[in-house]
Amino acid sequence: RGAFVGALVADALSLATHYEYDATRIKKFYGAIDRYYAPGEKTGGTTHGVGWGARNFHDGNGNGPAKQAGEQTDYGDYNLLVAEHLAATAPSRPFDVAEFLPR
């Protein structure tokens, strides 16, 4: 349980630089990540390429509200989705990929 929560905390800390792959740029704008930041908060609202900061939407496709500091990246969202599914179905039955994926 602690490892899972730790992964979510780390994911939320990385939201600001999600999809920014230039370590020099991250260090220049953020230094040490010392708190939660919104996507691209210290880079004028954008990150390199097609990141959350460039569009700042859930799924990066223009749908949903803007991500805020402390929220999850899509990776954290996926982890929560799987955890919620497992909590709702286990231990009554084994994990079934076909049941989990949308049709």
Side-chain angles (χ1 to χ4, degrees):
R1 188 176 303 167
F4 183 76
V5 172
L8 294 176
V9 169
D11 183 72
L13 285 167
S14 74
L15 177 64
T17 60
H18 192 51
Y19 289 123
E20 177 62 69
Y21 301 114
D22 185 337
T24 303
R25 183 179 163 125
I26 292 169
K27 178 119 174 122
K28 174 185 171 189
F29 284 104
Y30 290 94
I33 301 290
D34 58 349
R35 68 175 181 85
Y36 297 110
Y37 291 97
E41 184 175 329
K42 293 181 100 178
T43 59
T46 62
T47 58
H48 179 74
V50 295
W52 287 103
R55 296 185 206 157
N56 196 13
F57 291 106
H58 291 280
D59 300 326
N61 65 5
N63 295 320
K67 288 283 194 172
Q68 301 296 315
E71 288 191 287
Q72 301 297 300
T73 70
D74 52 336
Y75 304 119
D77 287 339
Y78 300 146
N79 278 298
L80 288 168
L81 183 68
V82 171
E84 289 169 0
H85 175 76
L86 292 174
T89 60
S92 61
R93 58 188 182 274
F95 181 74
D96 180 358
V97 173
E99 177 185 74
F100 178 71
L101 296 175
R103 301 187 195 287

Coordinates of all heavy atoms in Angstrom, one line a residue:
R1 N 0.8 -1.2 0.0 CA 0.0 0.0 0.0 C 0.9 1.3 0.0 O 0.6 2.2 -0.7 CB -0.9 0.0 1.2 CG -1.9 1.0 1.2 CD -2.9 1.0 2.4 NE -3.6 -0.3 2.4 CZ -4.3 -0.8 3.4 NH1 -4.4 -0.1 4.5 NH2 -4.8 -2.0 3.3
G2 N 1.9 1.3 0.8 CA 2.8 2.4 0.9 C 3.5 2.7 -0.4 O 3.7 3.8 -0.8
A3 N 4.0 1.6 -1.1 CA 4.6 1.8 -2.4 C 3.7 2.4 -3.4 O 4.1 3.2 -4.2 CB 5.2 0.5 -2.9
F4 N 2.4 1.9 -3.4 CA 1.5 2.5 -4.4 C 1.2 4.0 -4.1 O 1.2 4.8 -5.0 CB 0.1 1.7 -4.3 CG -0.9 2.1 -5.3 CD1 -0.7 1.7 -6.6 CD2 -2.0 2.9 -4.9 CE1 -1.7 2.1 -7.5 CE2 -2.9 3.3 -5.8 CZ -2.8 2.9 -7.2
V5 N 1.0 4.3 -2.9 CA 0.8 5.7 -2.5 C 2.0 6.6 -2.9 O 1.9 7.7 -3.4 CB 0.4 5.9 -1.1 CG1 0.3 7.4 -0.7 CG2 -1.0 5.3 -0.8
G6 N 3.2 6.0 -2.6 CA 4.4 6.7 -2.9 C 4.6 6.9 -4.4 O 5.0 8.0 -4.8
A7 N 4.1 6.0 -5.2 CA 4.2 6.1 -6.7 C 3.2 7.2 -7.1 O 3.5 8.0 -8.0 CB 3.8 4.8 -7.4
L8 N 2.1 7.3 -6.5 CA 1.1 8.4 -6.8 C 1.7 9.8 -6.4 O 1.5 10.8 -7.2 CB -0.2 8.2 -6.1 CG -1.0 6.9 -6.6 CD1 -2.3 6.8 -5.8 CD2 -1.3 7.0 -8.1
V9 N 2.3 9.9 -5.3 CA 2.9 11.1 -4.9 C 4.0 11.5 -5.9 O 4.1 12.7 -6.3 CB 3.5 11.0 -3.4 CG1 4.4 12.3 -3.1 CG2 2.4 10.9 -2.4
A10 N 4.9 10.6 -6.2 CA 5.9 10.9 -7.2 C 5.3 11.3 -8.5 O 5.8 12.2 -9.2 CB 6.8 9.7 -7.4
D11 N 4.3 10.6 -9.0 CA 3.6 11.0 -10.2 C 3.1 12.4 -10.2 O 3.2 13.2 -11.1 CB 2.5 10.0 -10.5 CG 1.8 10.3 -11.8 OD1 2.5 10.0 -12.9 OD2 0.7 10.8 -11.9
A12 N 2.4 12.8 -9.1 CA 1.9 14.1 -8.9 C 3.0 15.2 -8.9 O 2.8 16.3 -9.5 CB 1.0 14.2 -7.7
L13 N 4.1 14.8 -8.3 CA 5.2 15.8 -8.4 C 5.8 16.0 -9.8 O 6.4 17.0 -10.1 CB 6.4 15.3 -7.4 CG 6.1 15.5 -5.9 CD1 7.1 14.7 -5.1 CD2 6.1 17.0 -5.6
S14 N 5.6 15.0 -10.6 CA 6.2 15.1 -12.0 C 5.2 15.7 -13.0 O 5.6 15.9 -14.1 CB 6.6 13.7 -12.5 OG 5.4 12.9 -12.8
L15 N 4.0 16.0 -12.5 CA 3.0 16.6 -13.4 C 3.5 17.8 -14.2 O 3.3 18.0 -15.4 CB 1.7 16.9 -12.7 CG 0.6 17.6 -13.5 CD1 0.1 16.6 -14.6 CD2 -0.6 18.0 -12.6
A16 N 4.2 18.7 -13.4 CA 4.7 20.0 -14.0 C 5.5 19.8 -15.2 O 5.5 20.5 -16.2 CB 5.4 20.8 -13.0
T17 N 6.3 18.7 -15.2 CA 7.3 18.5 -16.3 C 6.9 17.3 -17.1 O 7.7 16.8 -17.9 CB 8.7 18.3 -15.7 OG1 8.7 17.1 -14.8 CG2 9.2 19.5 -14.9
H18 N 5.7 16.8 -17.0 CA 5.2 15.7 -17.8 C 5.4 15.9 -19.3 O 5.0 17.0 -19.8 CB 3.8 15.4 -17.4 CG 3.3 14.1 -17.9 ND1 3.9 12.9 -17.7 CD2 2.2 13.8 -18.6 CE1 3.2 11.9 -18.2 NE2 2.2 12.4 -18.8
Y19 N 6.0 15.0 -19.9 CA 6.4 15.1 -21.4 C 7.5 16.1 -21.7 O 7.7 16.4 -22.8 CB 5.1 15.4 -22.2 CG 4.2 14.2 -22.3 CD1 2.9 14.4 -22.0 CD2 4.6 13.0 -22.8 CE1 2.0 13.3 -22.1 CE2 3.7 11.9 -22.9 CZ 2.4 12.1 -22.5 OH 1.5 11.1 -22.6
E20 N 8.1 16.6 -20.7 CA 9.3 17.4 -20.9 C 10.5 16.5 -20.7 O 10.7 16.0 -19.6 CB 9.4 18.6 -19.9 CG 10.6 19.4 -20.1 CD 10.7 20.1 -21.4 OE1 9.9 21.0 -21.7 OE2 11.6 19.7 -22.2
Y21 N 11.2 16.3 -21.8 CA 12.3 15.3 -21.7 C 13.7 16.0 -21.7 O 14.7 15.3 -21.7 CB 12.3 14.4 -22.9 CG 11.0 13.6 -23.0 CD1 10.1 13.8 -24.0 CD2 10.7 12.7 -22.0 CE1 8.9 13.1 -24.0 CE2 9.5 12.0 -22.0 CZ 8.6 12.2 -23.0 OH 7.4 11.5 -23.1
D22 N 13.8 17.3 -21.7 CA 15.0 18.0 -21.7 C 15.4 18.3 -20.2 O 14.9 19.2 -19.6 CB 14.9 19.3 -22.5 CG 16.2 20.1 -22.6 OD1 17.1 19.9 -21.8 OD2 16.3 20.9 -23.5
A23 N 16.3 17.5 -19.7 CA 16.7 17.6 -18.3 C 17.3 19.0 -18.0 O 17.1 19.5 -16.9 CB 17.7 16.5 -17.9
T24 N 18.0 19.6 -18.9 CA 18.6 20.9 -18.7 C 17.5 21.9 -18.5 O 17.5 22.8 -17.7 CB 19.5 21.3 -19.9 OG1 20.5 20.2 -20.0 CG2 20.2 22.6 -19.7
R25 N 16.5 21.8 -19.4 CA 15.3 22.8 -19.3 C 14.6 22.6 -18.0 O 14.2 23.6 -17.3 CB 14.4 22.5 -20.5 CG 13.3 23.5 -20.5 CD 12.4 23.2 -21.7 NE 11.1 23.9 -21.5 CZ 10.6 24.7 -22.3 NH1 11.2 25.1 -23.5 NH2 9.4 25.3 -22.1
I26 N 14.4 21.3 -17.6 CA 13.7 21.1 -16.3 C 14.5 21.7 -15.2 O 13.9 22.4 -14.3 CB 13.5 19.6 -16.1 CG1 12.5 19.0 -17.1 CG2 13.0 19.3 -14.6 CD1 12.4 17.5 -17.1
K27 N 15.8 21.5 -15.1 CA 16.6 22.1 -14.1 C 16.6 23.6 -14.1 O 16.5 24.2 -13.1 CB 18.0 21.5 -14.2 CG 19.0 22.1 -13.2 CD 19.5 21.0 -12.3 CE 20.6 21.6 -11.4 NZ 20.3 21.3 -10.0
K28 N 16.6 24.2 -15.3 CA 16.6 25.6 -15.5 C 15.3 26.2 -14.9 O 15.4 27.2 -14.2 CB 16.8 26.0 -16.9 CG 16.6 27.5 -17.2 CD 16.7 27.7 -18.7 CE 16.3 29.2 -19.0 NZ 16.1 29.4 -20.4
F29 N 14.2 25.7 -15.2 CA 12.9 26.3 -14.8 C 12.5 25.9 -13.4 O 11.9 26.6 -12.7 CB 11.8 25.9 -15.8 CG 11.9 26.7 -17.1 CD1 12.4 26.1 -18.2 CD2 11.6 28.0 -17.1 CE1 12.5 26.9 -19.4 CE2 11.7 28.8 -18.2 CZ 12.1 28.2 -19.4
Y30 N 12.8 24.6 -13.0 CA 12.3 24.1 -11.7 C 13.3 23.9 -10.6 O 13.0 23.9 -9.4 CB 11.6 22.8 -11.9 CG 10.3 23.0 -12.7 CD1 10.2 22.9 -14.1 CD2 9.1 23.3 -12.0 CE1 9.1 23.1 -14.8 CE2 7.9 23.5 -12.7 CZ 7.9 23.4 -14.1 OH 6.7 23.6 -14.8
G31 N 14.6 23.8 -11.0 CA 15.6 23.4 -10.0 C 15.2 22.1 -9.4 O 14.9 21.2 -10.1
A32 N 15.2 22.0 -8.1 CA 14.7 20.8 -7.5 C 13.2 20.9 -7.4 O 12.6 22.0 -7.0 CB 15.3 20.7 -6.1
I33 N 12.5 19.9 -7.7 CA 11.0 19.9 -7.6 C 10.7 19.8 -6.1 O 10.9 18.8 -5.4 CB 10.4 18.7 -8.3 CG1 10.7 18.7 -9.8 CG2 8.8 18.7 -8.1 CD1 10.1 19.8 -10.6
D34 N 10.3 20.9 -5.5 CA 10.1 21.0 -4.1 C 8.6 21.1 -3.6 O 8.3 21.2 -2.4 CB 10.9 22.2 -3.5 CG 10.4 23.5 -4.2 OD1 9.7 23.5 -5.2 OD2 10.9 24.6 -3.7
R35 N 7.7 21.1 -4.6 CA 6.3 21.2 -4.3 C 5.6 20.8 -5.5 O 6.1 20.6 -6.6 CB 5.9 22.6 -3.8 CG 5.9 23.6 -4.9 CD 5.4 25.0 -4.3 NE 5.4 26.0 -5.3 CZ 4.4 26.2 -6.2 NH1 3.4 25.4 -6.3 NH2 4.5 27.2 -7.1
Y36 N 4.3 20.6 -5.4 CA 3.4 20.3 -6.6 C 3.3 21.6 -7.4 O 3.0 22.7 -6.9 CB 2.0 19.9 -6.1 CG 2.1 18.6 -5.3 CD1 1.7 18.6 -4.0 CD2 2.4 17.4 -5.9 CE1 1.8 17.4 -3.3 CE2 2.4 16.2 -5.2 CZ 2.1 16.2 -3.9 OH 2.1 15.1 -3.1
Y37 N 3.4 21.4 -8.7 CA 3.2 22.5 -9.7 C 2.2 22.0 -10.7 O 2.1 20.8 -11.1 CB 4.6 22.8 -10.4 CG 5.6 23.5 -9.6 CD1 6.6 22.7 -9.0 CD2 5.6 24.8 -9.3 CE1 7.6 23.3 -8.2 CE2 6.6 25.4 -8.6 CZ 7.6 24.6 -8.0 OH 8.5 25.2 -7.2
A38 N 1.5 23.0 -11.3 CA 0.6 22.7 -12.4 C 1.4 22.5 -13.7 O 2.6 22.8 -13.7 CB -0.4 23.9 -12.6
P39 N 0.9 21.8 -14.7 CA 1.6 21.6 -15.9 C 2.2 22.8 -16.5 O 1.5 23.8 -16.7 CB 0.6 21.0 -16.9 CG -0.5 20.4 -16.0 CD -0.5 21.3 -14.8
G40 N 3.5 22.8 -16.7 CA 4.2 24.0 -17.3 C 4.1 25.3 -16.5 O 4.3 26.3 -17.0
E41 N 3.8 25.2 -15.2 CA 3.6 26.4 -14.4 C 4.8 27.3 -14.4 O 4.6 28.5 -14.4 CB 3.3 25.9 -12.9 CG 3.0 27.1 -12.0 CD 2.6 26.6 -10.6 OE1 2.0 25.5 -10.5 OE2 2.9 27.3 -9.7
K42 N 6.0 26.8 -14.5 CA 7.2 27.7 -14.5 C 7.8 27.9 -15.9 O 8.8 28.5 -16.0 CB 8.2 27.2 -13.5 CG 7.7 27.3 -12.0 CD 8.8 26.8 -11.1 CE 9.5 27.9 -10.5 NZ 10.5 27.5 -9.5
T43 N 7.1 27.4 -16.9 CA 7.6 27.5 -18.2 C 6.6 28.2 -19.1 O 6.6 28.0 -20.3 CB 7.9 26.1 -18.8 OG1 6.7 25.3 -18.8 CG2 9.0 25.4 -18.1
G44 N 5.8 29.1 -18.5 CA 4.8 29.8 -19.3 C 3.6 29.0 -19.8 O 2.9 29.3 -20.7
G45 N 3.3 27.9 -19.1 CA 2.2 27.0 -19.4 C 2.4 26.0 -20.4 O 1.4 25.3 -20.8
T46 N 3.6 25.8 -20.9 CA 3.8 24.8 -21.9 C 5.0 23.9 -21.5 O 5.8 24.3 -20.7 CB 4.1 25.4 -23.3 OG1 5.3 26.2 -23.2 CG2 3.0 26.3 -23.8
T47 N 5.0 22.7 -22.1 CA 6.1 21.8 -22.0 C 6.5 21.5 -23.4 O 5.8 21.8 -24.3 CB 5.8 20.5 -21.2 OG1 4.7 19.9 -21.9 CG2 5.4 20.8 -19.8
H48 N 7.7 20.9 -23.5 CA 8.2 20.5 -24.8 C 7.2 19.6 -25.5 O 6.7 18.6 -24.9 CB 9.6 19.9 -24.7 CG 10.2 19.5 -26.0 ND1 10.7 20.4 -26.9 CD2 10.3 18.2 -26.5 CE1 11.1 19.7 -27.9 NE2 10.9 18.4 -27.7
G49 N 7.0 19.8 -26.8 CA 6.2 18.8 -27.6 C 4.7 18.8 -27.2 O 4.1 19.8 -27.0
V50 N 4.1 17.6 -27.2 CA 2.7 17.4 -27.0 C 2.3 17.1 -25.6 O 1.5 16.2 -25.3 CB 2.2 16.4 -28.0 CG1 2.3 16.8 -29.4 CG2 2.9 15.0 -27.8
G51 N 2.9 17.8 -24.6 CA 2.7 17.4 -23.2 C 1.5 18.1 -22.6 O 0.7 18.8 -23.3
W52 N 1.2 17.7 -21.4 CA 0.1 18.3 -20.6 C 0.1 19.8 -20.6 O -0.9 20.5 -20.7 CB 0.1 17.8 -19.2 CG -0.2 16.4 -19.0 CD1 0.6 15.3 -18.8 CD2 -1.5 15.8 -19.1 NE1 -0.1 14.2 -18.7 CE2 -1.4 14.4 -18.9 CE3 -2.8 16.3 -19.3 CZ2 -2.5 13.5 -18.8 CZ3 -3.9 15.4 -19.2 CH2 -3.7 14.1 -19.0
G53 N 1.4 20.3 -20.4 CA 1.5 21.8 -20.3 C 1.1 22.5 -21.6 O 0.6 23.6 -21.6
A54 N 1.4 21.8 -22.8 CA 1.0 22.4 -24.0 C -0.5 22.6 -24.2 O -1.0 23.5 -24.8 CB 1.6 21.6 -25.2
R55 N -1.2 21.6 -23.7 CA -2.7 21.6 -23.8 C -3.3 21.7 -22.5 O -4.4 22.2 -22.3 CB -3.1 20.4 -24.6 CG -2.6 20.4 -26.0 CD -3.2 19.2 -26.7 NE -2.2 18.9 -27.8 CZ -2.2 17.7 -28.3 NH1 -3.0 16.7 -28.0 NH2 -1.3 17.5 -29.3
N56 N -2.7 21.1 -21.5 CA -3.2 21.1 -20.1 C -4.6 20.6 -20.0 O -5.5 21.2 -19.3 CB -3.1 22.5 -19.5 CG -3.2 22.5 -18.0 OD1 -3.2 21.4 -17.3 ND2 -3.4 23.6 -17.3
F57 N -4.9 19.5 -20.6 CA -6.2 18.8 -20.5 C -6.0 17.3 -20.1 O -5.0 16.8 -20.4 CB -7.0 18.8 -21.8 CG -7.4 20.2 -22.2 CD1 -6.8 20.9 -23.3 CD2 -8.5 20.8 -21.6 CE1 -7.2 22.1 -23.6 CE2 -8.9 22.0 -22.0 CZ -8.3 22.7 -23.0
H58 N -7.1 16.8 -19.5 CA -7.0 15.3 -19.3 C -6.9 14.6 -20.7 O -7.5 15.0 -21.7 CB -8.3 14.9 -18.7 CG -8.5 15.3 -17.3 ND1 -7.8 14.7 -16.2 CD2 -9.1 16.4 -16.7 CE1 -8.1 15.3 -15.1 NE2 -8.9 16.3 -15.4
D59 N -6.1 13.6 -20.7 CA -5.8 12.8 -21.9 C -5.1 13.6 -23.0 O -4.8 13.1 -24.0 CB -7.1 12.2 -22.5 CG -7.8 11.3 -21.5 OD1 -7.1 10.6 -20.7 OD2 -9.0 11.2 -21.5
G60 N -4.8 14.9 -22.8 CA -4.0 15.7 -23.7 C -4.8 15.9 -25.0 O -4.2 16.2 -26.1
N61 N -6.1 15.7 -25.0 CA -6.9 15.7 -26.3 C -7.9 16.8 -26.3 O -8.8 16.9 -27.1 CB -7.5 14.4 -26.5 CG -8.6 14.0 -25.5 OD1 -8.9 14.8 -24.6 ND2 -9.1 12.8 -25.6
G62 N -7.9 17.8 -25.3 CA -8.9 18.9 -25.3 C -10.1 18.6 -24.6 O -11.0 19.4 -24.6
N63 N -10.3 17.4 -24.0 CA -11.5 17.0 -23.2 C -11.2 17.1 -21.7 O -10.2 16.6 -21.3 CB -11.9 15.6 -23.6 CG -12.4 15.6 -25.0 OD1 -13.0 16.5 -25.5 ND2 -12.0 14.5 -25.7
G64 N -12.1 17.7 -21.0 CA -12.0 17.7 -19.5 C -11.3 18.9 -19.0 O -10.8 19.7 -19.8
P65 N -11.4 19.1 -17.7 CA -10.8 20.3 -17.1 C -9.3 20.3 -17.1 O -8.7 19.2 -17.2 CB -11.4 20.3 -15.7 CG -11.6 18.9 -15.4 CD -12.0 18.2 -16.8
A66 N -8.7 21.4 -17.0 CA -7.2 21.5 -16.9 C -6.7 20.8 -15.7 O -7.4 20.8 -14.6 CB -6.8 23.0 -16.8
K67 N -5.6 20.2 -15.8 CA -4.9 19.6 -14.6 C -4.4 20.6 -13.7 O -3.9 21.7 -14.2 CB -3.8 18.7 -15.1 CG -4.2 17.4 -15.8 CD -4.7 16.4 -14.8 CE -4.8 15.0 -15.4 NZ -5.0 14.0 -14.4
Q68 N -4.5 20.4 -12.4 CA -4.1 21.3 -11.4 C -2.9 20.7 -10.6 O -2.7 19.5 -10.7 CB -5.2 21.6 -10.4 CG -6.4 22.2 -11.1 CD -6.2 23.5 -11.7 OE1 -5.6 24.4 -11.1 NE2 -6.7 23.7 -12.9
A69 N -2.1 21.6 -10.0 CA -1.0 21.1 -9.2 C -1.5 20.1 -8.2 O -2.5 20.3 -7.5 CB -0.4 22.3 -8.4
G70 N -0.7 19.0 -8.1 CA -1.1 17.9 -7.1 C -1.9 16.8 -7.7 O -2.1 15.8 -7.1
E71 N -2.4 17.0 -9.0 CA -3.2 15.9 -9.6 C -2.2 15.0 -10.3 O -1.0 15.2 -10.3 CB -4.1 16.5 -10.6 CG -5.3 17.2 -10.0 CD -6.4 17.6 -11.1 OE1 -6.1 18.5 -11.9 OE2 -7.4 16.9 -11.1
Q72 N -2.8 13.9 -10.8 CA -2.0 12.8 -11.4 C -1.7 13.1 -12.9 O -2.5 13.8 -13.5 CB -2.7 11.5 -11.3 CG -3.0 11.0 -9.9 CD -1.7 10.8 -9.1 OE1 -0.9 10.0 -9.4 NE2 -1.5 11.6 -8.0
T73 N -0.6 12.6 -13.4 CA -0.5 12.5 -14.9 C -1.4 11.4 -15.4 O -2.0 10.7 -14.6 CB 1.0 12.2 -15.3 OG1 1.3 10.8 -14.9 CG2 2.0 13.2 -14.6
D74 N -1.4 11.2 -16.7 CA -2.2 10.1 -17.2 C -1.7 8.7 -16.6 O -2.5 7.8 -16.4 CB -2.2 10.0 -18.7 CG -0.8 10.1 -19.3 OD1 0.1 10.5 -18.7 OD2 -0.7 9.6 -20.5
Y75 N -0.4 8.6 -16.3 CA 0.1 7.3 -15.7 C -0.5 7.1 -14.3 O -0.9 6.0 -14.0 CB 1.6 7.4 -15.6 CG 2.3 7.6 -17.0 CD1 3.1 8.7 -17.2 CD2 2.1 6.7 -18.0 CE1 3.7 8.9 -18.4 CE2 2.6 7.0 -19.3 CZ 3.4 8.1 -19.4 OH 4.0 8.3 -20.7
G76 N -0.6 8.1 -13.5 CA -1.2 8.0 -12.2 C -2.7 7.7 -12.3 O -3.2 6.9 -11.5
D77 N -3.3 8.4 -13.2 CA -4.8 8.2 -13.5 C -5.0 6.7 -13.8 O -5.9 6.1 -13.3 CB -5.3 9.0 -14.6 CG -5.4 10.5 -14.2 OD1 -5.5 10.8 -13.0 OD2 -5.5 11.4 -15.1
Y78 N -4.1 6.1 -14.7 CA -4.3 4.7 -15.1 C -4.1 3.8 -13.9 O -4.8 2.8 -13.7 CB -3.3 4.3 -16.2 CG -3.5 5.1 -17.4 CD1 -2.4 5.4 -18.2 CD2 -4.7 5.6 -17.9 CE1 -2.5 6.2 -19.4 CE2 -4.8 6.3 -19.0 CZ -3.7 6.6 -19.8 OH -3.8 7.3 -20.9
N79 N -3.1 4.1 -13.0 CA -2.9 3.3 -11.8 C -4.1 3.3 -10.9 O -4.6 2.3 -10.4 CB -1.7 3.8 -11.0 CG -0.4 3.2 -11.6 OD1 -0.2 2.0 -11.6 ND2 0.5 4.1 -12.1
L80 N -4.7 4.5 -10.7 CA -5.9 4.6 -9.9 C -7.1 3.9 -10.5 O -7.9 3.2 -9.8 CB -6.3 6.1 -9.7 CG -5.3 6.9 -8.8 CD1 -5.6 8.4 -8.9 CD2 -5.5 6.4 -7.3
L81 N -7.2 3.9 -11.8 CA -8.3 3.2 -12.5 C -8.2 1.7 -12.3 O -9.2 1.1 -12.0 CB -8.3 3.6 -14.0 CG -9.3 3.0 -14.9 CD1 -10.7 3.6 -14.5 CD2 -9.0 3.2 -16.3
V82 N -7.0 1.2 -12.4 CA -6.8 -0.2 -12.2 C -7.1 -0.6 -10.7 O -7.7 -1.6 -10.4 CB -5.4 -0.7 -12.6 CG1 -5.1 -2.1 -12.2 CG2 -5.2 -0.6 -14.1
A83 N -6.6 0.2 -9.8 CA -6.8 0.0 -8.4 C -8.3 0.0 -8.1 O -8.8 -0.9 -7.3 CB -6.1 1.0 -7.5
E84 N -9.0 0.9 -8.6 CA -10.5 1.0 -8.4 C -11.2 -0.2 -9.0 O -12.1 -0.8 -8.3 CB -11.1 2.3 -9.0 CG -10.7 3.5 -8.2 CD -11.0 4.8 -8.9 OE1 -11.5 4.8 -10.1 OE2 -10.7 5.9 -8.4
H85 N -10.7 -0.7 -10.1 CA -11.3 -1.9 -10.7 C -11.1 -3.1 -9.9 O -12.0 -3.9 -9.6 CB -10.8 -2.1 -12.1 CG -11.2 -3.3 -12.8 ND1 -12.5 -3.5 -13.3 CD2 -10.6 -4.5 -13.0 CE1 -12.6 -4.7 -13.8 NE2 -11.5 -5.4 -13.6
L86 N -9.8 -3.2 -9.4 CA -9.5 -4.4 -8.6 C -10.2 -4.4 -7.3 O -10.7 -5.4 -6.8 CB -8.0 -4.4 -8.3 CG -7.1 -4.7 -9.6 CD1 -5.6 -4.6 -9.2 CD2 -7.4 -6.1 -10.1
A87 N -10.4 -3.2 -6.7 CA -11.1 -3.1 -5.4 C -12.6 -3.5 -5.6 O -13.2 -4.0 -4.7 CB -11.0 -1.7 -4.9
A88 N -13.1 -3.2 -6.8 CA -14.5 -3.5 -7.0 C -14.8 -4.9 -7.4 O -15.9 -5.4 -7.3 CB -15.1 -2.6 -8.1
T89 N -13.7 -5.6 -7.9 CA -13.9 -7.0 -8.4 C -13.2 -8.1 -7.6 O -13.7 -9.2 -7.6 CB -13.5 -7.1 -9.9 OG1 -12.1 -6.8 -10.0 CG2 -14.3 -6.2 -10.8
A90 N -12.1 -7.8 -7.0 CA -11.3 -8.8 -6.3 C -11.8 -8.8 -4.9 O -12.3 -7.8 -4.4 CB -9.8 -8.5 -6.4
P91 N -11.8 -9.8 -4.1 CA -11.3 -11.1 -4.5 C -12.4 -12.1 -5.1 O -12.2 -13.3 -5.2 CB -10.7 -11.7 -3.2 CG -11.6 -11.2 -2.2 CD -12.0 -9.8 -2.7
S92 N -13.5 -11.5 -5.5 CA -14.6 -12.3 -6.0 C -14.2 -13.1 -7.3 O -14.8 -14.1 -7.5 CB -15.8 -11.5 -6.3 OG -15.6 -10.5 -7.2
R93 N -13.3 -12.5 -8.1 CA -12.9 -13.3 -9.3 C -11.5 -12.7 -9.7 O -11.1 -11.6 -9.4 CB -13.9 -13.1 -10.4 CG -14.2 -11.7 -10.8 CD -15.4 -11.6 -11.8 NE -15.7 -10.3 -12.2 CZ -16.5 -9.4 -11.6 NH1 -17.0 -9.8 -10.4 NH2 -16.7 -8.2 -12.1
P94 N -10.8 -13.5 -10.5 CA -9.5 -13.1 -11.0 C -9.6 -11.9 -12.0 O -10.7 -11.7 -12.6 CB -8.9 -14.3 -11.7 CG -10.0 -15.3 -11.7 CD -11.1 -14.9 -10.9
F95 N -8.5 -11.2 -12.1 CA -8.5 -10.1 -13.0 C -8.7 -10.6 -14.5 O -8.1 -11.5 -14.9 CB -7.2 -9.3 -12.9 CG -7.1 -8.1 -13.8 CD1 -7.7 -7.0 -13.6 CD2 -6.3 -8.2 -15.0 CE1 -7.6 -5.9 -14.4 CE2 -6.2 -7.1 -15.8 CZ -6.9 -5.9 -15.5
D96 N -9.6 -9.9 -15.2 CA -10.0 -10.3 -16.5 C -9.7 -9.1 -17.4 O -10.5 -8.1 -17.3 CB -11.4 -10.7 -16.6 CG -11.8 -11.2 -18.0 OD1 -11.0 -11.1 -19.0 OD2 -13.0 -11.6 -18.2
V97 N -8.7 -9.1 -18.3 CA -8.4 -7.9 -19.1 C -9.6 -7.5 -20.0 O -9.9 -6.4 -20.1 CB -7.1 -8.2 -20.0 CG1 -6.9 -7.1 -21.0 CG2 -5.9 -8.4 -19.1
A98 N -10.3 -8.5 -20.6 CA -11.4 -8.2 -21.4 C -12.5 -7.5 -20.7 O -13.1 -6.6 -21.2 CB -12.0 -9.5 -22.0
E99 N -12.7 -7.8 -19.4 CA -13.7 -7.1 -18.6 C -13.3 -5.7 -18.3 O -14.1 -4.8 -18.2 CB -13.9 -7.9 -17.3 CG -14.9 -7.2 -16.3 CD -14.9 -7.9 -15.0 OE1 -14.0 -7.8 -14.2 OE2 -15.9 -8.7 -14.8
F100 N -12.0 -5.5 -18.2 CA -11.4 -4.2 -17.8 C -11.4 -3.2 -18.9 O -11.7 -2.0 -18.8 CB -10.0 -4.4 -17.3 CG -9.3 -3.1 -16.9 CD1 -9.7 -2.4 -15.8 CD2 -8.3 -2.6 -17.6 CE1 -9.1 -1.2 -15.4 CE2 -7.7 -1.4 -17.3 CZ -8.1 -0.7 -16.2
L101 N -11.1 -3.6 -20.1 CA -11.0 -2.7 -21.3 C -12.3 -2.4 -21.9 O -13.2 -3.2 -21.9 CB -10.1 -3.4 -22.4 CG -8.7 -3.7 -22.0 CD1 -8.1 -4.5 -23.2 CD2 -7.9 -2.5 -21.7
P102 N -12.5 -1.1 -22.3 CA -13.8 -0.7 -22.8 C -14.0 -1.3 -24.2 O -13.0 -1.7 -24.9 CB -13.6 0.9 -23.0 CG -12.1 1.1 -23.0 CD -11.5 0.0 -22.2
R103 N -15.2 -1.5 -24.5 CA -15.5 -2.1 -25.8 C -15.8 -1.1 -26.9 O -16.3 -0.1 -26.7 CB -16.7 -3.0 -25.7 CG -16.4 -4.1 -24.6 CD -17.5 -5.2 -24.6 NE -17.4 -5.9 -23.4 CZ -16.5 -6.9 -23.2 NH1 -15.6 -7.1 -24.0 NH2 -16.5 -7.6 -22.1

